[in-house]
Amino acid sequence: MSWAEVYGHDTQRQRLENAATRGRLAHAYLFVGPAGIGKHRFALELAKLLLCERRGSAWEACDRCAACVQVQANTHPDFLTACKTEDKLEFTIDVVRGMTAQLALRPIRGGRKVAIIEDADDFNEEAANCFLKTLEEPPDGAMLILLATSIERQLPTILSRCQVLRFQRLDDVAMENLLARTDAVAAELIPQLIRLSQGSVGRAVALADETVRECRTRTIQQLGAARPNAVELARNWIECLEEAGKESASQRERATRLMALVGSILGDALRIQQGLPATEPSENDRIQLIADRCTEDHLLQHLEATVEAERLIDRRVPLPLIMEQLAQKLCTA
Ligand SMILES: [Zn+2]
């Protein structure tokens, strides 16, 4: 039953199952794919399956035994998760040391240890080196699952010691099934969210929030104005981020989603310039105004600026500053 919670990614599951059947599962996997498509969910199911104590003949966790319940609640003594700490830009050596020390201990409940390592994009050299020995020779039966968004960001030392499994954006059917089961999403919104979120559930869920949708609509209007106003544009974005709560982590998460949405508006303007329809046909006319105002070169520069803004968000630059600078760039041409 348990894979029912994982949407899409059937090929990846099949590949792992085939490897398992032949007794050829690797001890370290690097899952690579865009954010928000369910890599973590997939890794969690895999961990559950590996630790399940009442597994039948099918390649899936029972979802009911004590071990399954503990993995799900993140209380299983042999199931570890590691990520960079909130105040750090990189995955630090302290986190790696803690994890390798725990991995070295004998399994307590199950016959093996399983670790999910988030933020593998952000290993610093020192932390990676500290991790190499464990990656190369993990304790008996241990499985390490590293999650990353891009191959280019991986250090060669890590890359060469992991089996890479690439994950793609979700297709429309998987998106629809998943969104239909998400409480936060109203049914009538689903078709539009699927079109606008480009296979990222995270983006779809962000867009399901009315504040974010309104902010996006205002962004289209503001960018399409004859003389766009950078101050108003920045205010629109900052207010939307503040709505996400006081915590900087939740504001940053929303900021990242917002940048992706701004990027998709600019991408739509480029499509229109090339004679193609906007992703959301009902927005064609309003995005046409942006396509008319900007040259192709400007749109490409704007797109680059939003990608740069995402990078700055990641590097913990204060959000108001990022928003103001980006608004300035997008409004100057
Ligand atoms: Zn189980």
Side-chain angles (χ1 to χ4, degrees), residues 48 51-55 61-69:
K48 222 172 8 177
L51 292 167
C52 176
E53 290 164 2
R54 269 198 252 139
R55 230 172 80 195
C62 80
D63 244 355
R64 291 203 187 83
C65 71
C68 281
V69 172

Side-chain angles (χ1 to χ4, degrees), residues 23 46-47 62 91 127 135 148 181 199 206 216 241 263 276 281 315:
L46 180 58
C62 80
F91 207 108
L135 259 187
R181 296 194 42 180
R216 182 180 173 280
L241 301 185
L276 299 164
R315 300 210 69 85

Side-chain angles (χ1 to χ4, degrees), residues 145-282:
I145 309 165
L146 286 71
L147 309 184
T149 62
S150 109
I151 283 278
E152 290 71 32
R153 288 179 69 173
Q154 306 310 309
L155 297 167
T157 43
I158 298 256
L159 206 51
S160 63
R161 287 166 176 83
C162 296
Q163 178 106 42
V164 175
L165 197 56
R166 286 181 189 268
F167 284 73
Q168 275 79 39
R169 295 180 185 285
L170 295 178
D171 63 27
D172 289 359
V173 177
M175 284 288 284
E176 185 167 357
N177 289 336
L178 204 161
L179 291 174
R181 296 194 42 180
T182 310
D183 290 339
V185 179
E188 65 270 21
L189 280 177
I190 291 178
Q192 193 192 17
L193 294 184
I194 290 175
R195 287 195 291 277
L196 290 175
S197 55
Q198 292 158 344
S200 160
V201 181
R203 210 184 289 179
V205 170
L207 262 177
D209 188 310
E210 205 181 335
T211 315
V212 177
R213 273 205 316 284
E214 280 173 2
C215 173
R216 182 180 173 280
T217 307
R218 269 197 302 274
T219 302
I220 296 175
Q221 283 161 355
Q222 290 170 324
L223 287 176
R227 272 197 217 91
N229 184 322
V231 177
E232 279 173 20
L233 183 59
R235 193 186 303 136
N236 173 26
W237 292 340
I238 292 166
E239 278 173 9
C240 175
L241 301 185
E242 284 170 349
E243 278 268 338
K246 279 199 163 47
E247 258 182 82
S248 65
S250 46
Q251 288 197 7
R252 264 202 313 280
E253 191 188 333
R254 181 173 283 191
T256 305
R257 304 269 185 241
L258 193 58
M259 290 305 100
L261 293 173
V262 174
S264 74
I265 296 171
L266 297 167
D268 265 356
L270 276 167
R271 283 171 60 85
I272 289 177
Q273 283 186 349
Q274 287 153 8
L276 299 164
T279 318
E280 174 58 41
S282 63

Side-chain angles (χ1 to χ4, degrees), residues 45-110:
E45 282 311 321
L46 180 58
K48 222 172 8 177
L49 183 159
L50 294 169
L51 292 167
C52 176
E53 290 164 2
R54 269 198 252 139
R55 230 172 80 195
S57 52
W59 202 63
E60 62 184 354
C62 80
D63 244 355
R64 291 203 187 83
C65 71
C68 281
V69 172
Q70 284 186 335
V71 171
Q72 190 68 45
N74 201 4
T75 55
H76 194 295
D78 301 318
F79 172 58
L80 317 173
T81 51
C83 56
K84 59 184 184 187
T85 46
E86 166 58 18
D87 56 332
K88 293 285 187 319
L89 299 175
E90 294 179 318
F91 207 108
T92 59
I93 193 163
D94 296 341
V95 178
V96 173
R97 279 205 185 111
M99 185 178 54
T100 48
Q102 280 199 59
L103 277 169
L105 299 174
R106 256 215 316 238
I108 296 171
R109 212 206 135 112

